[in-house]
Amino acid sequence: MLKLSVVVPFYNVQTYALDALKSLELNARDDFEFLLVDDCSTDGTPELLDRAARELPGAVLLRHERNGGLATARNTGLDAARGEYLAFLDGDDWLAPGHLARTLATIEALSCDFVRNDHVQVTGRSRSVQHVPYGPQLVVGDPRAGILPASRATSVDYPYAWAGMYHRRLLDRGLLHFTDGLRTAEDRPWIWRLHREARSFAAIGLPGIFYRRGVSTSLTQIKDERQLDFIQAFDQVLADTAEDHESDLLLPKAVRTYCAIIAHHIGTIERYEPVVSKKLRSMSTAALGRMPQDVLDRVLNAMDADRAGVLRRLRRRPARTGAAA
């Protein structure tokens, strides 16, 4: 068995793909494989990946016949992975030289199910280190300890799949696959499931992942209906959490996070196309109606006045037929 499989989806990122591929070359080892998933790119990305398949040590090129989105592309890579450990990278980001080997040595020394890395956020020429919102460093703990409290950012609010490394036993248990077809917020149900069902994890620092913000092709920048997939993603978080044996303890955190994301999208609604803005309002109203209402009441009472006001106004809107996610 190979030691590490790295799943790297690409979709129309020819401007940045060479940086990602070069960083993989600077991380390559004989026992590493790089699963390069072309999600039906229509620019120059396929030609770059063809060359990488020939020249990058450990490269395995996988191609979709039609675009399936980031979640589906990651699943394609996971299905082909042969490594004892797994990691992710997006095709418009990059790694520091030797980052994968350092992270691998750390997770092996800690002997836990998964580790979470800090990362470097890159916006134009500005760079800042973003930390995993979890206190203990290099200490193995219960992943459930990374969910609460509801009142502040915790590890489930740091959902980036590429900011970590994962033992294959999680894949074998069905915990690493993403919900097929989700075009945004695909990491949210995934990180909640990991923290509810894995047995051990650790935050380890090691900010060797460089994450580009403001890229026009990034899912964070799109202004069309794909952004609304966050509703489906958080509906899944709520449904899964409601089935948990500690649902009474965990649901307030899930509802608060869902509410905060709705308020954020409503607060930036002017960036959407008019038809998408209308659908965002109606779907958000329907989503609030699906939440456990007693928990929602407590969450709104504890939120700041501005966001609570936005959400209460949405809640009072008449629900429209077909507004469900």
Side-chain angles (χ1 to χ4, degrees), residues 25 100 245 290:
E25 181 182 352
L100 294 175
H245 69 277
R290 290 191 297 273

Side-chain angles (χ1 to χ4, degrees), residues 213 220-224 227-228 230 260-273 276-277 280-281 310:
R213 294 278 293 175
T220 62
Q221 298 298 306
I222 60 175
K223 302 176 183 179
D224 60 30
Q227 275 284 8
L228 303 186
F230 83 90
I261 298 296
I262 290 174
H264 167 75
H265 282 276
I266 294 296
T268 59
I269 200 167
E270 69 281 352
R271 73 190 181 105
Y272 295 108
E273 303 160 2
V276 179
S277 298
L280 170 60
R281 286 192 180 93
V310 167

Side-chain angles (χ1 to χ4, degrees), residues 8-13 36-43 45-46 49 61-74 76 181-183 219 226:
V8 195
F10 294 84
Y11 177 65
N12 287 355
V13 288
L36 313 178
V37 185
D38 180 13
D39 193 21
C40 203
S41 297
T42 58
D43 62 356
T45 301
L49 296 181
L61 180 56
L62 306 168
R63 282 213 157 96
H64 284 173
E65 293 185 0
R66 61 184 181 86
N67 179 258
L70 182 58
T72 301
R74 285 175 174 166
T76 295
L182 278 182
R183 297 164 294 179
L219 291 172
R226 287 174 292 175

Side-chain angles (χ1 to χ4, degrees), residues 4 82 102 119 122 132 136 142 144 179 189 201 207 220 281 297:
L4 177 67
R82 297 175 294 157
R102 289 189 291 272
H119 73 274
V122 180
V132 181
D142 181 350
R144 285 177 174 259
T179 301
F201 93 117
T220 62
R281 286 192 180 93
D297 286 338

Side-chain angles (χ1 to χ4, degrees), residues 39-274:
D39 193 21
C40 203
S41 297
T42 58
D43 62 356
T45 301
E47 288 74 20
L48 297 176
L49 296 181
D50 284 337
R51 189 171 74 186
R54 298 189 300 268
E55 299 177 0
L56 174 63
V60 178
L61 180 56
L62 306 168
R63 282 213 157 96
H64 284 173
E65 293 185 0
R66 61 184 181 86
N67 179 258
L70 182 58
T72 301
R74 285 175 174 166
N75 288 342
T76 295
L78 289 172
D79 289 341
R82 297 175 294 157
E84 181 182 358
Y85 292 90
L86 298 106
F88 301 94
L89 179 68
D90 286 351
D92 51 5
D93 299 332
W94 77 96
L95 304 170
H99 170 74
L100 294 175
R102 289 189 291 272
T103 303
L104 177 62
T106 303
I107 191 173
E108 288 191 303
L110 294 172
S111 190
C112 56
D113 281 349
F114 69 100
V115 296
R116 302 294 285 156
N117 294 94
D118 297 342
H119 73 274
V120 180
Q121 182 172 292
V122 180
T123 307
R125 295 188 177 185
S126 174
R127 299 185 181 188
S128 60
V129 176
Q130 306 295 308
H131 300 285
V132 181
Y134 181 75
Q137 294 283 298
L138 297 170
V139 176
V140 177
D142 181 350
R144 285 177 174 259
I147 299 176
L148 298 176
S151 59
R152 62 171 174 81
T154 65
S155 190
V156 291
D157 301 310
Y158 187 85
Y160 317 108
W162 37 257
M165 194 170 285
Y166 314 90
H167 195 281
R168 186 177 190 86
R169 56 180 168 261
L170 296 175
L171 181 64
D172 295 339
R173 290 179 57 201
L175 299 183
L176 286 188
H177 278 77
F178 298 81
T179 301
D180 267 322
L182 278 182
R183 297 164 294 179
T184 190
E186 76 292 330
D187 291 344
R188 296 290 187 158
W190 179 88
I191 193 68
W192 271 83
R193 185 173 65 243
L194 270 186
H195 275 278
R196 285 195 318 269
E197 300 187 30
R199 298 187 178 98
S200 58
F201 93 117
I204 62 171
L206 294 181
I209 311 108
F210 293 81
Y211 166 50
R212 293 186 201 268
R213 294 278 293 175
V215 175
S216 61
T217 55
S218 170
L219 291 172
T220 62
Q221 298 298 306
I222 60 175
K223 302 176 183 179
D224 60 30
E225 195 167 317
R226 287 174 292 175
Q227 275 284 8
L228 303 186
D229 279 9
F230 83 90
I231 297 279
Q232 180 185 345
F234 275 98
D235 277 353
Q236 184 179 342
V237 170
L238 284 190
D240 292 346
T241 304
E243 296 295 321
D244 190 89
H245 69 277
E246 292 184 308
S247 59
D248 289 347
L249 186 65
L250 301 181
L251 270 174
K253 173 66 175 179
V255 169
R256 185 184 177 95
T257 305
Y258 198 171
C259 285
I261 298 296
I262 290 174
H264 167 75
H265 282 276
I266 294 296
T268 59
I269 200 167
E270 69 281 352
R271 73 190 181 105
Y272 295 108
E273 303 160 2

